[in-house]
C-alpha cells in the first residue's frame, strides 16, 4: 500500500515535491533562496519555533478544557457541546464532521507541520552540508539544536494526544510510512529533545528566539525549558492510573527540578503571537455571563458541598460557593447567578453554571502587544514534583512542595500528609492554578492518568479520518458511555464528581 502524506507546513513547497504530486512548482526559486540564504534559513527556523508554541495556546485547546470539565456549555458552535455533554460522546471522527479540522485535526496538522519543518532544517544541515553563517557568526549547531528541540516537543504532543502517529525523519520514505504507537512516538520525541539539549550545551552564546521579534532565550533558559517539557510530557503520557504506575518518577523529579523557576510567558505581539485559547475561553457576554462558563467542578473543589451538576429544577439558582479562604477563587472566578448567557435548558440544565472565569481577562481581547501568553507556569514543575512524591508514597515530601507552591504561598491552603488528601490537593491546583496558565491539555492529562475523567470521556484522540482516508486505513474513534473502560475511553473509576474531597 502506498501512503503519501503531505503535512501542512508554513512553506508547503519545502515539504512536497512536484514529482510526488505532478504539479508545476512555481515557488521553486523562493524555496531555493530560503535554503541558500543563511538569514532566511534562520528566519524559517524561528518561524517554526513560533508554530510549536502557537499550537500550545491555540483554539484547539478548548476541546481538552471541555473533556477535563474546566468549562461547560450547551453551545453547539464548532462542536463545543459535543465535548461538554453528559453522558460523554464519542469523538466524531468523520470527514462529514465539518469541525474535524479544529477538533482531532487541529493538533495533528499543527504538530506534524512543526516536525516536517524541523526535518527540513535537520536535512539541510546534516545531509546537504548546509551552514548557517549570519554576520560572520556560525549558527549551524544552534539552529540544528533548535530544530531537534522543536521536533521532539511536537512528537511529544502527538504521543500524548493520539493513540498513534508517524515517526518521520529526513530519510523516511513517504511511500512506506507506517503508524507507530504513542509510546514509540514519545520515545522518539524524548531522544530528539535530549539531542537538542546536548547540541545547545556545546554552542557558545546559544540563543533561541520564541517567535520572530519575540523573546530570546539564552542557553540556561533553553535548558530549563527543555527539562520542563521532558517533565510535562513524561508524566502526561499515561492513559490510565494503572499505566501511570510504571513511570520512573525519580527521573521525572530530576527533569522538573531542572526546569523553569519562573513562568514561561513570552509577551504577545498583536496579530503575530497571542493566546487564542484564552481569547475564546475568557470572552464576556453583554449580559455579564461568560461565553464559556466555569464548570461546576471549580466551585465544587473550593466548596465540597457545592453541587457537581447544576440542578435541573428551573426555579433553583445556586448561591455562591462557601469561601474557603483562598483569595484566588475570587480573583480567578466571578459569581454571576442567573446570568446563563448561551446556556439552554433544553440541552441539559445540569450543564449550567453560575460562575465565569476571569483569570487573565483583558477586556475581551487577548490579542494585544505586551500581554502574557502563559505557555507554561513555573508552578507546574512544583505540582509535577509533588505528584511524583505522591506516586512514590512520600506524602510528607509532597506536602512540603505543595506548601511552597502557590497553594500555600498564595492560596493559604494546607494539605494533610495522606495519599487521598495529596491527590485531591493536586487536582485542585491543576484545575485552578494551571488552567489557562500552561496551554492545552495539562488538566486533561492529569485527570486521565488518575482515572478522574467522567466515564466515556476520550482519553486520546484517534488519527483524524481525513488522514486515514489518505492512508487507506480503517476509520475508528474513542469515547462514549458504551466504550467506558475500553482502550482510549475513560472508565470513570475515580470520576471527580464522586471523590470525597478532603484536603
Amino acid at each position: 500500500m502506498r501512503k503519501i502524506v503531505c503535512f501542512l507546513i508554513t512553506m508547503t513547497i519545502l515539504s512536497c515535491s512536484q514529482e510526488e504530486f505532478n504539479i508545476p512548482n512555481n515557488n521553486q526559486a523562493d524555496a531555493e533562496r530560503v535554503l541558500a540564504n543563511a538569514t532566511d534559513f534562520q528566519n524559517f527556523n524561528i518561524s517554526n519555533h513560533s508554530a510549536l508554541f502557537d499550537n500550545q495556546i491555540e483554539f484547539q485547546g478548548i476541546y481538552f478544557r471541555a473533556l477535563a470539565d474546566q468549562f461547560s456549555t450547551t453551545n453547539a458552535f464548532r462542536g463545543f457541546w459535543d465535548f461538554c455533554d453528559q453522558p460523554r460522546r464519542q469523538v466524531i471522527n468523520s470527514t462529514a464532521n465539518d469541525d474535524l479540522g479544529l477538533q482531532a485535526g487541529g493538533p495533528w496538522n499543527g504538530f506534524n507541520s512543526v516536525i516536517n519543518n524541523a526535518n527540513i532544517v535537520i536535512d539541510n544541515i546534516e545531509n546537504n552540508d548546509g551552514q548557517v553563517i549570519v554576520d560572520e557568526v556560525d549558527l549551524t549547531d544552534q539552529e540544528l539544536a533548535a530544530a531537534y528541540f522543536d521536533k521532539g516537543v511536537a512528537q511529544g504532543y502527538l504521543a500524548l494526544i493520539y493513540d498513534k502517529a508517524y515517526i518521520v525523519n529526513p530519510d523516511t520514505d513517504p511511500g512506506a510510512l507506517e503508524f507507530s504507537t504513542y509510546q514509540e512516538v514519545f520515545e522518539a520525541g524524548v531522544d530528539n529533545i535530549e539531542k537538542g539539549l546536548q547540541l545547545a550545551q556545546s554552542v557558545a552564546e546559544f540563543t533561541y528566539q520564541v517567535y520572530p521579534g519575540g523573546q530570546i532565550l539564552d542557553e540556561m533558559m533553553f535548558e530549563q525549558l527543555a527539562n520542563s517539557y521532558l517533565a510535562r510530557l513524561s508524566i502526561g503520557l499515561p492513559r490510565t492510573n494503572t499505566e501511570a504506575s510504571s513511570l520512573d518518577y525519580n527521573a521525572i523529579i530530576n527533569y522538573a527540578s531542572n526546569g523553569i523557576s519562573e513562568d514561561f510567558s513570552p509577551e504577545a505581539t498583536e496579530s503575530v503571537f497571542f493566546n487564542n485559547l484564552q481569547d475564546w475561553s475568557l470572552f464576556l457576554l453583554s449580559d455579564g455571563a461568560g461565553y464559556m462558563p466555569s464548570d461546576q467542578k471549580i466551585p465544587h473543589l473550593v466548596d465540597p458541598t457545592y453541587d457537581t451538576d447544576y440542578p435541573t429544577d428551573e426555579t433553583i439558582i445556586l448561591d455562591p460557593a462557601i469561601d474557603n479562604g483562598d483569595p484566588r477563587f475570587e480573583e480567578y472566578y466571578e459569581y454571576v447567578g442567573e446570568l446563563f448567557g448561551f446556556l439552554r435548558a433544553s440541552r441539559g440544565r445540569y450543564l449550567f453554571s453560575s460562575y465565569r472565569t476571569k483569570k487573565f481577562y483583558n477586556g475581551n481581547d487577548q490579542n494585544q502587544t505586551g500581554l502574557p501568553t502563559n505557555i507554561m507556569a513555573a508552578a507546574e514543575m512544583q505540582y509535577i514534583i509533588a505528584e511524583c512524591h505522591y506516586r512514590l508514597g512520600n506524602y510528607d515530601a509532597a506536602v512540603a512542595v505543595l506548601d511552597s507552591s502557590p497553594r500555600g504561598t498564595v492560596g493559604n491552603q494546607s494539605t494533610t500528609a495522606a495519599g487521598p488528601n495529596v491527590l485531591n490537593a493536586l487536582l485542585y491546583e491543576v484545575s485552578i492554578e494551571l488552567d489557562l496558565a500552561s496551554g492545552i491539555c495539562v488538566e486533561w492529562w492529569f485527570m486521565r492518568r488518575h482515572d478522574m475523567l467522567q466515564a466515556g470521556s476520550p482519553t486520546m484522540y484517534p488519527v483524524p479520518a481525513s488522514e486515514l482516508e489518505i492512508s487507506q486505513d480503517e476509520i475508528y474513534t474513542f469515547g462514549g458511555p458504551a466504550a467506558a473502560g475500553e482502550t482510549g475511553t475513560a472508565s470513570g473509576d475515580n470520576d471527580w464528581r464522586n471523590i470525597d474531597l478532603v484536603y
Side-chain angles (χ1 to χ4, degrees):
M1 179 191 304
R2 178 168 175 80
K3 299 183 180 181
I4 299 178
V5 180
C6 177
F7 300 126
L8 299 175
I9 63 168
T10 306
M11 298 182 64
T12 305
I13 189 62
L14 293 177
S15 67
C16 305
S17 71
Q18 69 181 63
E19 288 80 9
E20 286 178 310
F21 293 94
N22 194 29
I23 56 175
N25 189 347
N26 297 323
N27 296 314
Q28 183 62 42
D30 288 339
E32 291 175 353
R33 177 183 58 78
V34 168
L35 296 178
N37 182 284
T39 300
D40 289 343
F41 187 83
Q42 183 185 30
N43 288 335
F44 171 78
N45 205 18
I46 294 171
S47 293
N48 202 38
H49 309 341
S50 178
L52 173 68
F53 295 115
D54 180 69
N55 275 286
Q56 298 172 46
I57 51 175
E58 254 303 341
F59 180 94
Q60 58 211 29
I62 292 169
Y63 303 104
F64 301 114
R65 288 190 78 230
L67 292 174
D69 287 313
Q70 292 296 121
F71 85 95
S72 184
T73 191
T74 61
N75 184 3
F77 180 76
R78 297 303 190 192
F80 296 158
W81 182 33
D82 292 346
F83 284 73
C84 288
D85 200 14
Q86 300 173 188
R88 289 298 198 229
R89 302 183 189 180
Q90 284 188 328
V91 176
I92 305 174
N93 194 26
S94 167
T95 52
N97 175 8
D98 292 338
D99 300 316
L100 181 65
L102 297 170
Q103 298 167 357
W108 180 266
N109 293 331
F111 289 116
N112 273 312
S113 169
V114 171
I115 293 166
N116 199 61
N117 286 347
N119 277 337
I120 292 168
V121 175
I122 294 167
D123 184 45
N124 278 273
I125 291 175
E126 292 188 338
N127 300 328
N128 294 295
D129 298 320
Q131 288 185 307
V132 186
I133 300 175
V134 179
D135 296 331
E136 300 183 353
V137 177
D138 190 341
L139 303 177
T140 306
D141 285 346
Q142 172 181 289
E143 298 309 304
L144 186 61
Y148 271 111
F149 169 78
D150 292 350
K151 180 178 179 179
V153 173
Q155 287 175 316
Y157 270 86
L158 288 178
L160 268 64
I161 292 172
Y162 297 91
D163 68 314
K164 56 188 177 184
Y166 300 116
I167 297 177
V168 184
N169 297 311
D171 60 353
T172 298
D173 179 1
L177 277 177
E178 297 291 343
F179 288 113
S180 296
T181 66
Y182 65 85
Q183 295 95 336
E184 292 167 338
V185 178
F186 169 76
E187 291 298 332
V190 169
D191 288 345
N192 285 319
I193 295 172
E194 291 181 339
K195 185 165 185 177
L197 256 177
Q198 292 168 0
L199 283 166
Q201 290 166 347
S202 69
V203 175
E205 300 183 11
F206 174 90
T207 61
Y208 177 102
Q209 189 163 24
V210 176
Y211 67 92
Q215 181 180 356
I216 298 175
L217 311 182
D218 61 17
E219 193 277 325
M220 180 178 295
M221 182 59 188
F222 177 78
E223 184 174 342
Q224 291 176 353
L225 188 63
N227 275 287
S228 299
Y229 275 106
L230 288 168
R232 171 187 279 183
L233 298 171
S234 295
I235 203 165
L237 184 66
R239 273 52 173 170
T240 65
N241 187 52
T242 299
E243 187 178 343
S245 65
S246 64
L247 297 184
D248 184 345
Y249 288 104
N250 287 308
I252 298 173
I253 288 174
N254 185 58
Y255 287 143
S257 297
N258 289 295
I260 58 173
S261 56
E262 297 180 356
D263 293 350
F264 177 57
S265 186
E267 289 187 352
T269 297
E270 184 177 354
S271 300
V272 174
F273 189 81
F274 68 98
N275 195 318
N276 197 31
L277 170 60
Q278 289 182 355
D279 203 53
W280 280 84
S281 299
L282 300 173
F283 196 84
L284 178 64
L285 299 174
S286 59
D287 69 352
Y291 177 65
M292 295 183 171
S294 308
D295 191 86
Q296 288 289 103
K297 183 180 80 171
I298 301 301
H300 177 72
L301 290 173
V302 173
D303 173 8
T305 68
Y306 212 73
D307 293 14
T308 57
D309 292 311
Y310 211 86
T312 55
D313 184 339
E314 296 192 21
T315 66
I316 299 176
I317 306 298
L318 290 181
D319 292 329
I322 298 172
D323 188 349
N324 68 346
D326 188 341
R328 295 175 298 174
F329 185 52
E330 183 175 347
E331 180 184 351
Y332 296 171
Y333 306 97
E334 181 182 4
Y335 175 76
V336 297
E338 60 184 8
L339 302 177
F340 293 132
F342 289 167
L343 293 166
R344 296 185 187 178
S346 61
R347 292 181 173 176
R349 198 173 190 268
Y350 45 83
L351 294 174
F352 278 29
S353 170
S354 286
Y355 279 90
R356 79 171 184 95
T357 303
K358 61 178 182 177
K359 181 184 183 184
F360 303 126
Y361 178 73
N362 286 286
N364 281 353
D365 186 11
Q366 299 300 111
N367 185 14
Q368 300 180 52
T369 297
L371 291 183
T373 51
N374 305 109
I375 295 171
M376 183 183 290
E380 184 181 342
M381 296 302 107
Q382 294 176 289
Y383 300 144
I384 287 175
I385 293 170
E387 184 177 349
C388 289
H389 286 310
Y390 159 78
R391 289 287 189 179
L392 293 168
N394 300 327
Y395 304 137
D396 287 330
V399 168
V401 176
L402 286 169
D403 286 349
S404 66
S405 77
R407 178 169 179 77
T409 60
V410 180
N412 303 319
Q413 300 298 296
S414 60
T415 309
T416 306
N421 306 56
V422 171
L423 183 57
N424 291 344
L426 287 167
L427 172 63
Y428 183 108
E429 293 303 310
V430 169
S431 301
I432 292 174
E433 183 63 29
L434 296 188
D435 183 37
L436 298 178
S438 276
I440 66 173
C441 294
V442 170
E443 302 86 6
W444 178 56
W445 292 336
F446 177 87
M447 293 179 71
R448 76 177 178 186
R449 66 180 178 261
H450 293 285
D451 294 340
M452 289 180 173
L453 296 171
Q454 292 190 39
S457 301
T459 60
M460 49 190 171
Y461 276 177
V463 173
S466 51
E467 178 67 34
L468 294 172
E469 286 189 353
I470 295 172
S471 65
Q472 299 179 40
D473 286 295
E474 183 178 355
I475 294 174
Y476 64 99
T477 195
F478 300 118
E486 297 179 3
T487 299
T489 306
S491 66
D493 286 348
N494 198 31
D495 186 330
W496 69 266
R497 297 173 302 174
N498 301 323
I499 295 173
D500 183 12
L501 287 177
V502 178
Y503 303 106

